[in-house]
Amino acid sequence: MEKAFPKEIAFVLLISTNLMRLPKQIKLINKAFKNLVNLIFTTIMPYFNWNDTINLLKKSSPRRFWNACKVYSSYRLTRLTGNPIQWGYPISISFEPTTSCNLRCPECPSGMRAFTRPTGMLDQSFFKKTIDEIYKELLYLIFYFQGEPYLNPDFLDMVRYAHEKKIYTATSTNAHYLTDAKAKATVESGLDRLIISIDGTTQDVYEQYRIGGNLEKVLDGAKNIVKWKKALNSKTPFVFFQFLVVKPNQHQIEAIKKLGAEIGVDQVRFKTAQVYDFENDPHQLVPTIDKYSRYKTGKDGKRLVKSGLSNHCWRLWHANVISWDGLVVPCCFDKDAMHQLGNLNNQSFKELWKNPNYLQFRNDLTKSRKNIDICANCSEGLSVWED
């Protein structure tokens, strides 16, 4: 156990072993803790899988648990008071391996080559320096923001480094670079979760969104991963097909379930699509099946985001995004890094997390989230995963 906070550990043990004898206030704390656990799992792991869940729990520690309690408590107090309170450090962060990509997906700035910020590759030494500062509190690390992670030649070395720090690691790939050798190296790296984006079961449908993609390569890559998991007797990475439901592929929902079972991936998951110009939908992507759409039609006939824009955001309290060159932005909706909260080349992470820029952004969000441009198309409060 961590020696830094024995009183906190004793408090947690007291709750768990003597709950029935504790006063009503402590029971409320226990209820809040259950809500915290539920929120973490529905945010990070909306589809339950026993092996994956156990693997995530194994990454926990007293210090990470206590940090999560502090983060969640400050978030709830912020919602209660309307004033930004931030305790603890992120439970989860996203690190961008690269902005480069081999595909041309129409709703992706990387695919459209539409960035105004510089493009490049994450430097391994910079990554290690940042992880060394925050790994004791950090539970979950996502190797993805924009771009294709496997294009960074040091990607799997960085995964291995985080794995050695006992951090749960995840990435999302278009699977075009999962050669036999790369698949073997992926399993050996200790990667915990591998999301394979596959938005069609036939080439003609797949390439309508994954422009420039080759479905056969994707399927071969998935087969390679499944093969090496078995050969190395490894339970990780937890592999699932992510099917981004859009109008051109919505008729293949049942077909992708069957294909996933044939190849042997752990799950098939369906994700709703963010459409930038959802009011006009120039690429005709908004699905006609309501449950798979993030949008609804208002009384005036215009499309609206289903989630609404309440003045709170769990994501801003428990997570953030770091670009390949060290810029820290609020979340994955700030794809062009227009809301820079700091630069890790000039400031340590823990200093940055509570700097005036972050405080001001949290304050603005709690007062008028609708005035923040990146929030206008946000999925906060709305499940982006559907059965």
Side-chain angles (χ1 to χ4, degrees), residues 141-169:
L141 174 58
I142 302 167
F143 283 95
Y144 181 71
F145 179 27
Q146 296 297 295
E148 168 53 46
Y150 280 90
L151 287 174
N152 187 319
D154 298 324
F155 167 56
L156 291 178
D157 290 333
M158 290 185 278
V159 171
R160 188 174 293 105
Y161 190 79
H163 174 72
E164 290 170 355
K165 299 290 186 182
K166 296 181 171 56
I167 303 170
Y168 186 99
T169 55

Side-chain angles (χ1 to χ4, degrees), residues 117-327:
R117 63 185 174 101
T119 58
M121 300 280 181
L122 174 63
D123 179 73
Q124 187 173 179
S125 60
F126 167 70
F127 168 79
K128 288 181 177 179
K129 178 184 176 183
T130 305
I131 292 300
D132 286 346
E133 183 185 0
I134 60 176
Y135 78 91
K136 291 182 180 179
E137 289 83 17
L138 187 65
L139 175 66
Y140 198 102
L141 174 58
I142 302 167
F143 283 95
Y144 181 71
F145 179 27
Q146 296 297 295
E148 168 53 46
Y150 280 90
L151 287 174
N152 187 319
D154 298 324
F155 167 56
L156 291 178
D157 290 333
M158 290 185 278
V159 171
R160 188 174 293 105
Y161 190 79
H163 174 72
E164 290 170 355
K165 299 290 186 182
K166 296 181 171 56
I167 303 170
Y168 186 99
T169 55
T171 195
S172 179
T173 177
N174 61 46
H176 282 65
Y177 299 97
L178 285 177
T179 61
D180 190 67
K182 194 67 74 174
K184 182 175 184 285
T186 298
V187 176
E188 291 175 333
S189 73
L191 181 71
D192 294 294
R193 172 176 293 201
L194 181 65
I195 303 169
I196 296 177
S197 297
I198 177 169
D199 307 323
T201 59
T202 57
Q203 178 64 29
D204 63 317
V205 171
Y206 172 78
E207 67 185 1
Q208 288 188 55
Y209 186 77
R210 301 287 167 181
I211 297 172
N214 185 312
L215 180 60
E216 186 176 354
K217 276 191 175 183
V218 178
L219 298 179
D220 286 344
K223 291 173 183 176
N224 288 335
I225 284 287
V226 171
K227 181 188 79 171
W228 280 111
K229 279 183 65 178
K230 291 178 180 177
L232 297 173
N233 193 29
S234 177
K235 292 183 179 179
T236 58
F238 174 66
V239 183
F240 68 84
F241 278 168
Q242 174 185 283
F243 192 84
L244 190 69
V245 182
V246 288
K247 190 174 181 179
N249 70 11
Q250 63 184 16
H251 64 288
Q252 293 187 336
I253 287 173
E254 293 304 317
I256 192 63
K257 293 178 183 178
K258 182 179 179 182
L259 183 59
E262 289 174 356
I263 289 177
V265 296
D266 296 301
Q267 281 184 354
V268 175
R269 300 186 178 185
F270 299 96
K271 188 176 183 181
T272 60
Q274 177 193 8
V275 178
Y276 283 97
D277 185 5
F278 58 85
E279 292 182 354
N280 299 307
D281 192 18
H283 301 291
Q284 293 296 294
L285 295 174
V286 177
T288 58
I289 304 174
D290 183 66
K291 69 178 291 188
Y292 295 117
S293 175
R294 298 187 187 187
Y295 311 101
K296 63 183 179 181
T297 303
K299 294 179 180 179
D300 58 359
K302 294 183 179 180
R303 281 199 184 101
L304 306 169
V305 180
K306 286 180 179 177
S307 61
L309 284 173
S310 301
N311 292 330
H312 58 81
C313 180
W314 165 238
R315 187 174 290 145
L316 192 63
W317 262 251
H318 88 279
N320 71 356
V321 174
I322 304 172
S323 69
W324 69 272
D325 54 349
L327 301 177

Side-chain angles (χ1 to χ4, degrees), residues 87-105:
W87 297 332
Y89 296 99
I91 300 169
S92 167
I93 66 170
S94 296
F95 235 124
E96 181 179 58
T98 181
T99 45
S100 301
C101 189
N102 54 307
L103 302 185
R104 300 289 190 274
C105 305

